[in-house]
Amino acid sequence: MRTLKLCDGRSMPQIGFGTAAIGEFQQDNEFVKDTVLKAIEMGYRHIDTAALYGNERSVGQAIAESGIPRKEFFVTTKVWDTQQGHENTLQAMEESLNRLNMDYVDLYLVHWPYPEKTQATWQAMEQLHREGRARSLGLSNFRKSDIQQLMGFAEIKPVYNQLELHPYLTQKALVEYCESKGMVVSCWSPLGSGSWSGVDNSEKPISDPVITKLAEKYGVSAGQIILAWDLQQGRIVIPKAESEKHMKGNLNYGFTLTDEELTAIDNLNKNHRFGDDPDTATESNLSRPVPN
């Protein structure tokens, strides 16, 4: 499986398996565990979860039941807004590791920017890194201003920023800024098709004529075209899938988009979000508690 090297010297698989909203959101259950286990059987070794998703136990159970050594996996989890602050973040990691039944995670992220608590949160994460419980540290949904704030005090620099990124929301300026600071950019909802968006598929990038024509040309799915657009530009993708067909398709690429085709997809940008906006999300995030 193709990998990308992080600025801290570690490497991670470029294609991950996203677990947000698999089955019922905020609920560990057999369906989630079996879905993750099926993804592992398909070849996924990078698994992305979060305290807020409520499925860390299921992810940990699936990895344990796979029979594959823990060291062969790259596991990401995240500290939620209500958990931020120095002592709270340390406690949040303890709880996540207990749910995952692991001694460490490969990548620990600040799930959303919360500027009033960023310094205390990050300093706790640096402590977790020094203790070996978080092998790499990163961000999620951080804007340029949030990154600038963090860079003013961080002793350990973030290696990664996970953003809503798809052909209708390319965030080009932010991507370029992250890359200039040594951060790999990762895409959540890379197909613009999160089930939480409440938007019909006909209004999403997977149904755009530019995408569907390329899919026809290469004999692949529209989703594979979008993921190839990301992969060829050095980004991490973490698509969610529940069917074996989609899991397998997201891992397999036997084609290369031309520079002109990459540009054509870039030009589809509408600055359109299907998920929450970090400019307005903090207040609503604080009303969403992490499940036990």
Side-chain angles (χ1 to χ4, degrees):
M1 181 178 290
R2 65 183 83 189
T3 62
L4 286 181
K5 193 165 186 177
L6 304 173
C7 67
D8 63 3
R10 302 183 69 241
S11 295
M12 67 184 298
Q14 197 174 4
I15 305 173
F17 186 72
T19 64
I22 287 182
E24 294 185 48
F25 190 61
Q26 294 194 323
Q27 184 171 331
D28 277 302
N29 55 36
E30 286 294 311
F31 178 78
V32 177
K33 184 196 75 173
D34 290 345
T35 301
V36 175
L37 193 55
K38 184 163 52 178
I40 292 169
E41 291 168 353
M42 290 282 174
Y44 289 87
R45 296 294 180 267
H46 170 189
I47 312 295
D48 182 281
T49 184
L52 182 72
Y53 300 168
N55 59 24
E56 289 173 311
R57 288 186 185 87
S58 299
V59 168
Q61 289 167 1
I63 289 173
E65 290 184 20
S66 73
I68 297 168
R70 166 67 181 90
K71 65 182 180 180
E72 295 188 22
F73 289 93
F74 192 100
V75 178
T76 299
T77 195
K78 313 173 186 77
V79 57
W80 183 239
D81 284 21
T82 58
Q83 301 172 305
Q84 290 200 46
H86 191 277
E87 295 306 313
N88 285 348
T89 297
L90 297 179
Q91 180 64 28
M93 172 60 100
E94 188 70 25
E95 292 170 356
S96 284
L97 290 177
N98 285 339
R99 288 189 290 262
L100 288 163
N101 194 25
M102 295 176 184
D103 297 324
Y104 69 93
V105 294
D106 296 276
L107 180 61
Y108 199 37
L109 307 181
V110 186
H111 204 151
W112 282 87
Y114 190 173
E116 295 86 347
K117 295 192 175 183
T118 297
Q119 184 167 356
T121 299
W122 192 255
Q123 288 172 343
M125 292 175 68
E126 290 178 330
Q127 178 179 330
L128 292 166
H129 175 74
R130 294 185 183 104
E131 293 170 352
R133 292 194 281 173
R135 298 287 175 87
S136 294
L137 302 179
L139 311 170
S140 183
N141 303 297
F142 268 53
R143 303 157 293 189
K144 181 178 179 179
S145 60
D146 301 313
I147 297 167
Q148 289 173 324
Q149 178 200 12
L150 185 144
M151 291 296 188
F153 54 76
E155 296 180 9
I156 300 172
K157 306 301 183 186
V159 301
Y160 176 107
N161 194 10
Q162 187 178 109
L163 309 170
E164 180 181 356
L165 196 156
H166 47 73
Y168 285 177
L169 183 69
T170 59
Q171 304 215 62
K172 183 177 180 181
L174 181 54
V175 168
E176 291 176 352
Y177 180 75
C178 290
E179 292 174 345
S180 77
K181 296 300 180 181
M183 283 182 278
V184 167
V185 170
S186 171
C187 315
W188 65 261
S189 191
L191 307 183
S193 56
S195 59
W196 56 85
S197 67
V199 178
D200 185 85
N201 276 346
S202 64
E203 301 177 50
K204 297 179 181 179
I206 54 173
S207 299
D208 192 281
V210 170
I211 303 294
T212 56
K213 286 178 183 178
L214 288 172
E216 184 177 354
K217 171 184 173 180
Y218 289 103
V220 298
S221 70
Q224 285 174 299
I225 292 294
I226 294 173
L227 296 181
W229 167 71
D230 282 312
L231 296 170
Q232 286 181 223
Q233 297 182 85
R235 298 192 281 261
I236 298 284
V237 293
I238 47 170
K240 185 196 82 169
E242 294 183 2
S243 73
E244 291 187 13
K245 176 183 177 182
H246 289 149
M247 288 180 190
K248 188 173 182 179
N250 291 342
L251 283 176
N252 295 319
Y253 296 87
F255 66 98
T256 301
L257 298 171
T258 66
D259 289 343
E260 292 77 13
E261 290 165 345
L262 293 174
T263 299
I265 299 174
D266 285 341
N267 290 338
L268 296 177
N269 180 55
K270 300 179 179 182
N271 294 323
H272 182 79
R273 293 182 182 275
F274 293 106
D276 291 337
D277 186 338
D279 286 338
T280 58
T282 301
E283 185 174 342
S284 61
N285 286 351
L286 291 173
S287 67
R288 300 166 70 185
V290 169
N292 294 324

